[in-house]
Every structure is written in C-alpha cells, then in structure tokens.
C-alpha cells in the first residue's frame, strides 16, 4: 500500500508553501488531505485504478486539485507542483524553518544572506558567530538558535514511545513467525513507558539462539547490523531506531528481564541490597556463592529481597524500592479500567474523521463514554468553531449520541482556548450548554512565568472549565514547556475540582510521569486523554496510561476510569 508515500507528498507541499509565506490556509488543506490518506484503510492506488480522479475526489479532504496531483504521482512518480517548490527552496531549509523561534521568514533570510540550506549549515554559522551580524538577529538570537538546534538534536536522538513500541511488537511477531521462540518481551525504557526511548531492548528465549539471532539481523527492516554475536545482536532499523536483542536462557528469564528493564539506578540499588546480604545479582540471577537463589521469574528476583514485584513504570529510583519494602506501593491504574476519553477532535475542526468514526473507535475500545472536544474560534489554524458553529456541532453530537444509544454515551464538549489574560474563547452562556469544557493554551507561549501562571489559574477558576489540557504545552523535540508555576496551577485545580490532563498525543505526553505524581500529591484529579485527530489515535491511550502509572496514579485518581454518573457529577 502506497498511502504513506502519497501522504508524504502533501506534507512536503504544505511545508514548502509555508516557506513561500503564501496563503496560510493552503498548507492546512494539504495536511488535512495527507492525514486523511494516511489514516484511510483502503489502498489509495486501488481506488485510483478503479475510478481515477473522480474516485479520488470522494476521499474526504481531497478536491479536484489534490486528486489531480495524486493522479500524476501514481502515473509518473512525481508531482509538478512539488518539484517547482523544491526548485525554489533547498530541502533542508524546511527543518531550519521548523526550529523553535525561526519560522519561514527568518529561515529564508538565513538562506539568502548566508547560504544556509540545512541545520548543519546553521549550526556552523551560529558557532562561527556569523548570525549575530545579520540585520535583525543579534547575539541573543544566535544563542537561541543554538539552543533550538540542541533541542532538535535531542528530539532526533530519541524515538517517541508511540512509534517505538509498535516496531518492537512487530519485530517480536516477525521473530515468532520465523524462528523458534518460546518467550519474548520488550524491555528497557520502552517497558518502563518512557515517553521517548533511546533504543529498543528486546528479550527472547529460544532452543536455537544462533538461528534466532540470524532471523533478527536479516529482518527486512534492518538497515545496518552493528553487532551480531551468538546470543545478542544490535541493529539499526530503517527508521534509524536502534534495536538490541538478547537470547536468554529460560532459567535466567526473570533475571534478564529485570536487568534489561532497568533503569540503571534502580538496578544499582537492588545490586547494593544483594551485596549487603552477601549475594551477587546480575542478568543471570541472584547467587549465594555457587548457589542460584532466583532467576527464572522476575517476581522471584524481587521476592528474594522480601519485596513484591514492582511494576516497570515505577522503576526509576524514585522511592519505589522503599515503598515496596513498606508494603506501600500504589495500586496503579490499568488500561482495561479506562472507560472513556475526553479529548477527541473531529473533521469539524482539525481532525480527519467524522464524529461517527471517532465514536465507533471508542466503541471498539470498549468504552462507556467518549467526549468530543473540537477547537474554539480563536484557533483559526485549526479551523476553530464560532459559537453558532459550535451550537450546530453540539446538535450533531447529540444526534450521534442517539444513534449510538445502548452502545456508548457521547458527550458534547469543546477544547476552548485560554486567551491572553485568562479569559476563555467562548462566553459562559455558550459553555454552559455543553457537557464539559477542556481548556488549553495554544498561544502566547513566551509570557513571563507570572503572567502565564495568572492566565491559566484564572481559566481554571472559571466554573465551566473541567479539564486543563496539555498543561506545559511542550512538544517533545520541538518546543520547551512554557514557563509556569505548576504547583500554583495544581493547587488552583485541586481547589476548584478541575482535572489536570495527562495528554497522550505522541509528541506531547503532557503532563509527564513526575508532574502527574506531583499533581496527585497536590490533591488533583487527572484526566488521561489521547487528543486524537484521527480514529486510529484513540489507541494511544495505552501510552497515556503508561505515563499515568509512571506518575503513581491509581484508578481513583483518573476521572476517565470512573463510571459516567460519577464523571457527570464531577463535571457539574
Ligand atoms: P534508553 O534506551 O536510553 O531510553 O534507556 P534504557 O533504560 O532502555 O537504557 P539502555 O538501552 O542503555 O539499557 C537497557 C537497560 O539495561 C537499562 O535500563 C538497565 C540495563 N543496563 C544497561 N547498562 C547497564 C549497566 O551498565 N549497569 C546496569 N546495572 N544495568 C545496565
Ligand atoms: Ca533502551
Ligand atoms: Ca539498549
Ligand atoms: Zn487538542
């Protein structure tokens, strides 16, 4: 299926149009079509063969102009409009434009004045102090550019969990199909559900280790074999992600799983405990002299120390071993306890799918309820709704709710922008007609900490606001958190019965685990939401739950683990 390839053409066109500083709505239209093509289950090439341009035009978001470009791409493997744009701008300049604080205008100045065509050029120029000499840039901007490059490089060196985890599962499924594999698991930071991972650590047991390693190093996705031994190997995949594998002896499965899950500090703590008992702990087991005390199961490793099994998400050396020793580990929320999702966009604002498709995806996940929260009017780039449009949308949501009666409850909400001074983007009499309101910041990211905190606290104090979403607005690898006093925000939320969000959109993961734990300690209730913009994204809930678990949250702490009547009472 070539849907991904075709979608990429339109993502590229959208990026390059932004460089031209042309019509700001055209990139939105191209990206919408790209997301639609990416998400659709049918093979776009097949549709095209069946019915040509006319059939393509039936794809949501695809009009005549886009359909003709798809047609050309599938016939000739190229699109004139894209080639024309690519002639106008060097390819690497798009990445420069995307750096924090740059944008199309400045990227274009850097290119024209200094011949900068990619991030490597930019870094060199900044280090050689060439940028400060440009009109309108200065020394401070030069430093900011270096900071932005650093943030970008960090983002590049780690892979989002929502990307890495499915690749890990795919590899293990491939191994099971092509080698004799008894047990298999994803370990490392992915098992601990870190929001981004440095590499994938995979563990298997097999009666034929050498054959298993050969299957691993010759998988279709492998771009480079870094190391291939008899029981371990390291490869680089086509996505540039590194994957390590170890074939363990069945008698050491638990010890290996524990060791390679980490994190390192957690392991060092356990090893110190072993030493003080006169034992040795390594990836093969716990040993007293020659005698093996434990190793076959992970539970057995912890039990040898008199500890209950510690969930991987807690293994960060943040007091989990002490809590386990006291019998005070929290009972963590589980994915199967999640009953709904409150942050869901449809094609009425910047999502790709109609309400029905989003609701059906929620039904397929076994949810009891789902809330629709499209963007508010000020967020023009996301096609935010005017009050009248929101009223009509609400009526549509109510109709869909009736359609799905008996299967799921559909709540009508909004993701309402918090304006500069803390006012909301809709008046109260519009908000009061909804079942709930999600409020969030999408503008003025650079306010001082004081102003930003005041703004958000004021919004949280609005009685109609039920959830404060993606609280720090950070984007992993591209935008730092806003400067905000999170403790003050959490105190305001706890005092007003406003939930704080753990947003599971892959590059947000906001709040993260430690901040979610702080929110709980401040007395807040949390909402774990996916911020889905396509039906397939509702499944990112598992990573949101992983993050909630990293925050030591139990089902009582998570509003969408509660039954609907209790949710309604909380929202009221
Ligand atoms: P990452 O890949 O940077 O996201 O983080 P991890 O935690 O997956 O780290 P990685 O891949 O280097 O190693 C996987 C696990 O193996 C790690 O969490 C703990 C264990 N490990 C690796 N090196 C050492 C070590 O030198 N000592 C100990 N005790 N454990 C180690
Ligand atoms: Ca790793
Ligand atoms: Ca590793
Ligand atoms: Zn949103």
């Amino acid at each position: 299926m070539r849907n991904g390839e075709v979608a990429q053409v339109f993502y590229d066109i959208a990026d390059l149009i932004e460089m031209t500083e042309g019509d700001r709505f055209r990139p939105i239209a191209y990206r919408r079509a790209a997301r639609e093509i990416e998400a659709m289950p049918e093979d776009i090439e097949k549709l095209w063969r069946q019915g040509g341009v006319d059939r393509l035009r039936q794809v949501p978001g695809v009009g005549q102009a886009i359909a003709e470009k798809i047609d050309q791409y599938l016939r000739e493997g190229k699109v004139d409009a894209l080639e024309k744009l690519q002639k106008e701008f060097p390819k690497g300049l798009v990445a420069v434009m995307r750096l924090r604080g740059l944008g199309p205008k400045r990227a274009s100045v850097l290119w024209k004045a200094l011949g900068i065509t990619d991030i490597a050029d930019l870094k060199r120029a900044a280090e050689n102090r060439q940028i400060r000499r440009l009109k309108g840039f200065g020394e401070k901007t030069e430093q900011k550019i270096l900071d932005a490059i650093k943030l970008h490089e960090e983002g590049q060196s780690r892979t989002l969990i929502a990307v890495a985890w499915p690749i890990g599962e795919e590899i293990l499924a491939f191994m099971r199909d092509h080698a004799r594999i008894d047990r298999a698991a994803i370990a490392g930071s992915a098992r601990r559900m870190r929001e981004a991972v440095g590499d994938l650590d995979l563990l298997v047991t097999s009666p034929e280790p050498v054959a298993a390693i050969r299957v691993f190093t010759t998988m279709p996705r492998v771009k480079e074999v870094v190391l291939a031994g008899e029981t371990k190997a390291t490869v680089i995949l086509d996505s540039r992600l590194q994957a390590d594998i170890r074939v363990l002896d069945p008698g050491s499965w638990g010890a290996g799983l524990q060791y390679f899950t980490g994190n390192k500090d957690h392991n060092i703590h356990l090893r110190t405990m072993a030493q003080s008992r006169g034992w040795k702990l390594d990836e093969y087991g716990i040993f007293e002299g020659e005698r093996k005390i434990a190793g076959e199961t992970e539970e057995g490793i912890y039990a040898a120390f008199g500890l209950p099994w510690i969930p991987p998400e807690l293994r960060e050396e943040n007091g989990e071993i002490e809590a386990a020793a006291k019998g005070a580990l929290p009972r963590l929320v589980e994915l199967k306890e999640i009953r709904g999702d409150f942050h869901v966009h449809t094609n009425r604002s910047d999502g790709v799918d109609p309400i029905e498709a989003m609701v059906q995806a929620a039904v397929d996940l076994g949810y009891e309820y789902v809330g629709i929260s499209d963007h508010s009017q000020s967020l023009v780039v996301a096609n935010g709704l005017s009050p009248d449009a929101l009223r009509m949308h609400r009526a549509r949501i109510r109709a869909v709710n009736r359609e799905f009666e008996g299967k799921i409850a559909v709540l009508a909400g909004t993701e309402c922008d918090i304006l500069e001074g803390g006012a909301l983007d809709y008046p109260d009499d519009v908000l009061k007609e909804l079942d709930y309101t999600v409020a969030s910041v999408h503008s003025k990211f650079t306010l001082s900490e004081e102003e930003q905190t005041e703004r958000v606290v004021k919004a949280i104090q609005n009685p109609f606001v039920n959830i404060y979403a993606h609280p720090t607005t950070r984007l992993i690898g591209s935008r730092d958190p806003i400067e905000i006093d999170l403790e003050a925000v959490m105190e305001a939320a706890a005092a007003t019965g406003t939930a704080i969000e753990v947003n599971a959109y892959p590059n947000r993961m906001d709040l993260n685990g430690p901040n979610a734990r702080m929110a709980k300690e401040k007395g807040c209730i949390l909402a774990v939401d996916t911020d889905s913009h396509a039906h397939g994204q509702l499944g990112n809930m598992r990573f949101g739950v992983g993050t909630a678990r990293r925050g030591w949250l139990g089902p009582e702490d998570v509003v969408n683990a509660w039954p609907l009547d209790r949710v309604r009472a909380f929202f009221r």
Side-chain angles (χ1 to χ4, degrees), residues 25-69:
F25 290 100
R26 277 174 63 217
I28 298 174
Y30 282 117
R31 288 206 182 94
R32 176 161 175 238
R35 283 204 302 269
E36 193 80 50
I37 292 163
E38 217 170 25
M40 63 191 246
E42 305 92 351
D43 183 345
I44 190 141
E45 193 172 8
K46 213 162 136 197
L47 294 187
W48 169 71
R49 267 202 236 100
Q50 285 163 0
V53 168
D54 289 340
R55 180 66 190 83
L56 291 173
R57 284 192 53 179
Q58 288 164 22
V59 175
V62 174
Q64 182 67 24
I66 291 180
E68 280 172 9
K69 290 183 178 69

Side-chain angles (χ1 to χ4, degrees), residues 96 114-126 130-131 149:
V96 172
L114 297 176
I116 285 165
T117 61
D118 56 25
I119 290 180
D121 285 351
L122 180 65
K123 193 175 177 184
R124 224 171 295 122
Q130 287 174 299
I131 290 176
I149 293 174

Side-chain angles (χ1 to χ4, degrees), residues 343-345 350 373-375 379 415 438 440 442 469-470 501 503 508 531-533:
H343 196 155
V344 173
H345 297 275
D350 62 345
S373 60
D374 276 302
H375 286 290
L379 206 59
E415 179 178 14
V438 176
S440 60
H442 292 114
H470 44 74
E501 192 178 61
N503 185 298
R508 283 195 185 270
D531 202 350
S532 288
H533 287 70

Side-chain angles (χ1 to χ4, degrees), residues 389-535:
L390 175 62
R391 284 199 183 93
M392 282 168 65
H393 192 43
R394 192 196 60 204
R396 284 277 305 123
I397 296 169
R398 298 277 183 242
V400 172
N401 181 44
R402 284 192 293 278
E403 210 180 293
F404 278 83
E405 182 154 11
K407 289 189 195 152
I408 194 168
V410 187
L411 307 186
T414 173
E415 179 178 14
C416 184
D417 262 47
I418 299 173
L419 305 179
E420 182 166 3
L424 292 175
D425 199 16
Y426 292 126
D428 287 356
D429 63 330
V430 172
L431 296 178
K432 86 167 184 253
E433 297 171 344
L434 300 170
D435 297 317
Y436 70 102
T437 292
V438 176
S440 60
V441 166
H442 292 114
S443 62
K444 306 279 173 197
F445 300 111
T446 56
L447 293 179
S448 69
E449 178 173 327
E450 202 187 337
E451 287 171 303
Q452 198 69 270
T453 306
E454 209 182 293
R455 167 197 197 193
V456 169
V457 166
K458 190 170 166 210
I460 283 175
Q461 284 167 343
N462 179 308
F464 292 103
V465 171
N466 304 110
I467 298 172
Y468 172 52
H470 44 74
T472 78
T473 79
R474 68 108 173 237
L475 297 179
I476 299 171
S478 62
R479 186 162 75 212
D480 281 332
I482 45 178
E483 285 176 35
I484 191 165
D485 179 352
L486 272 183
E487 288 188 39
V489 167
M490 288 166 183
E491 279 158 15
T496 55
T498 308
I500 300 272
E501 192 178 61
V502 171
N503 185 298
Y505 200 79
N507 68 343
R508 283 195 185 270
M509 288 297 170
D510 180 16
L511 297 175
N512 64 13
N515 282 334
R517 189 174 173 188
M518 176 162 92
K520 174 185 177 169
E521 278 160 11
K522 291 276 173 198
C524 294
I525 297 299
L526 290 105
V528 183
D529 293 325
T530 58
D531 202 350
S532 288
H533 287 70
H535 69 273

